[in-house]
Amino acid sequence: MTHAMLKGSNVPLEATTVRAVLRWTPGQGVPDVDASALLLGPAGQVRSDEDFVFYNQPRHPSGKVWWLGKKRVAEGPTDTIQTDLAGVEPEVSRILVVASAEDKTFDRVLGLRISLYDAAVAEGEPLLYFDIKPETGEETALICGELYRRGEGWKFRALGEGYANGLRGLAMDFGITVDESEAASVPEVSQPLPPAVSTQLPPAVPVQSGYGYPPAAAPAQEPVTQPAYGYPQAAPVGAGTYGYPQPMPAASAVDPDFRLPPQGPQFI
């Protein structure tokens, strides 16, 4: 049976590993929502910056809390945090499930809901859900709910508490060190879905002729015919320049009236 929760209500959990799924309604001008988690000790503070789990630090060192990432399902986009409650360190008393929206206000995020699932049941119905409605609309980060210890077990409480100074301000309130000169500690923008892998081939490598490369091939040329030794070189067609014999005129027809000149006595 799925519990529809109201703000401030709580439900005991029997599942040992749970998925907290944030879902919202996409639309023009609607920012993406990022899910993250803060692991708090008995004093209500993180023990170190490693107790902050988000897309740039997706797995807690204990291996019991991790970010599963975004998906697009029929109902809308989602972002998910999973927790192995049975293996969480004894010093951790609470785990906050947080939503942030690229420093945009949550009055622009429609249909925000957190649902809790038993991770051991594939395609199962949610154990509970909570529809989150910002109190002022100016919130840029929200504590959606918390997993907390009660005796030997765990419970979930619906919260919906907002922060106007974003994920950075929320994290600092719980002891996360935020260096103003290094924004890597806290995400400032939403993590998009992975981009498509480019199938474009790399550009061809130009032919190199420097050291370590073979010289570029010379362009092909027509072979030059050399005369054999002892024979005169053939003159190009139509040549009449110095060094070559003048072209002979074409033979003409014999004149039928042509007669040899008179022969002298030396020819008799």
Side-chain angles (χ1 to χ4, degrees):
M1 178 181 177
T2 301
H3 295 271
M5 302 190 68
L6 300 175
K7 186 172 182 176
S9 62
N10 62 77
V11 171
L13 300 174
E14 296 181 0
T16 58
T17 303
V18 294
R19 293 194 315 272
V21 180
L22 292 179
R23 194 192 76 207
W24 61 97
T25 303
Q28 186 174 5
V30 177
D32 276 349
V33 176
D34 289 312
S36 54
L38 292 169
L39 286 70
L40 308 181
Q45 298 282 293
V46 298
R47 298 162 298 171
S48 73
D49 289 355
E50 292 181 332
D51 283 341
F52 181 32
V53 176
F54 65 107
Y55 69 82
N56 273 344
Q57 189 168 274
R59 193 174 185 89
H60 190 264
S62 67
K64 303 305 178 182
V65 181
W66 59 99
W67 174 74
L68 289 183
K70 292 185 177 179
K71 290 184 178 180
R72 293 191 181 274
V73 297
E75 296 81 6
T78 66
D79 203 3
T80 303
I81 297 289
Q82 183 158 312
T83 305
D84 178 5
L85 296 173
V88 172
E89 300 153 296
E91 312 89 72
V92 176
S93 58
R94 300 162 60 200
I95 299 173
L96 306 182
V97 181
V98 175
S100 56
E102 306 177 15
D103 286 338
K104 306 293 193 303
T105 54
F106 269 90
D107 60 348
R108 300 170 59 181
V109 180
L110 306 177
L112 183 62
R113 169 180 287 189
I114 182 170
S115 301
L116 208 67
Y117 292 81
D118 184 347
V121 180
E123 305 298 330
E125 293 295 319
L127 303 172
L128 57 90
Y129 69 86
F130 171 45
D131 290 326
I132 307 164
K133 294 179 172 57
E135 293 182 350
T136 68
E138 297 303 311
E139 296 89 345
T140 53
L142 289 166
I143 302 176
C144 301
E146 65 175 357
L147 300 160
Y148 66 100
R149 292 186 189 271
R150 183 61 70 213
E152 297 297 320
W154 288 83
K155 287 188 171 185
F156 178 84
R157 179 180 288 119
L159 292 176
E161 297 176 357
Y163 281 73
N165 53 353
L167 187 58
R168 179 184 296 269
L170 187 155
M172 290 176 65
D173 276 0
F174 291 97
I176 296 292
T177 302
V178 177
D179 187 344
E180 295 294 335
S181 63
E182 297 181 6
S185 299
V186 178
E188 292 294 335
V189 296
S190 176
Q191 172 69 8
L193 293 173
V197 178
S198 174
T199 57
Q200 184 177 3
L201 294 176
V205 178
V207 177
Q208 302 290 335
S209 59
Y211 179 77
Y213 292 89
Q221 297 181 354
E222 294 185 1
V224 179
T225 304
Q226 296 292 338
Y229 179 75
Y231 290 90
Q233 182 175 350
V237 176
T241 57
Y242 179 78
Y244 292 96
Q246 297 299 315
M248 298 296 293
S252 60
V254 178
D255 187 355
D257 297 325
F258 175 77
R259 296 290 185 269
L260 289 173
Q263 302 290 322
Q266 66 271 27
F267 295 103
I268 297 175

